[in-house]
Amino acid sequence: MQDETDPGRVAFLARPHRPALVSRTLTELRGPVRGVVELPQRLMWNPRRDFDLDNPDLLLWMYENVLREAIRLEELRRWVNGKALVRVWPELNLPRGVRLAWEARHQQLRLR
């Protein structure tokens, strides 16, 4: 996570050479929580990019992909729901850098 207002902060990496992207607030994340959605190929390279969000395992899988691959805040806002993220946070399998970046910005995730 690189914060433009504080250039001395450490960047947490989603993968080598890619900083983790974190929303400013959880309330700005208004993505779907029900129904079937299809991620764009940029966020999911698998030929099957559809996720039935009524299936808890598929919701987790979609969030893991979006949180790891997002490079624009609009991607986070479109595909992740803040309330759902708080609820499923402990169950997500995320790279260490992604988890640390989100928990550094959003204390309520650390407490889960």
Side-chain angles (χ1 to χ4, degrees), residues 7-58:
R9 291 187 85 165
V10 173
F12 295 105
L13 299 179
R15 66 168 89 176
H17 309 293
R18 179 182 290 173
L21 181 66
V22 180
S23 66
R24 290 178 197 92
T25 69
L26 294 176
T27 56
E28 72 185 284
L29 303 175
R30 298 183 181 265
V33 292
R34 302 189 67 75
V36 177
V37 299
E38 183 176 343
L39 288 179
Q41 186 173 8
R42 209 204 69 60
L43 292 175
M44 180 69 174
W45 287 79
N46 192 315
R48 283 207 51 183
R49 299 186 312 269
D50 57 315
F51 296 86
D52 180 351
L53 302 184
D54 295 316
N55 179 328
D57 291 333
L58 293 180

Side-chain angles (χ1 to χ4, degrees), residues 76-94:
L76 294 175
R77 291 179 187 127
R78 179 173 183 188
W79 299 110
V80 178
N81 181 283
K83 288 181 183 177
L85 181 63
V86 171
R87 186 181 75 246
V88 302
W89 185 255
E91 301 172 59
L92 291 172
N93 182 14
L94 297 169

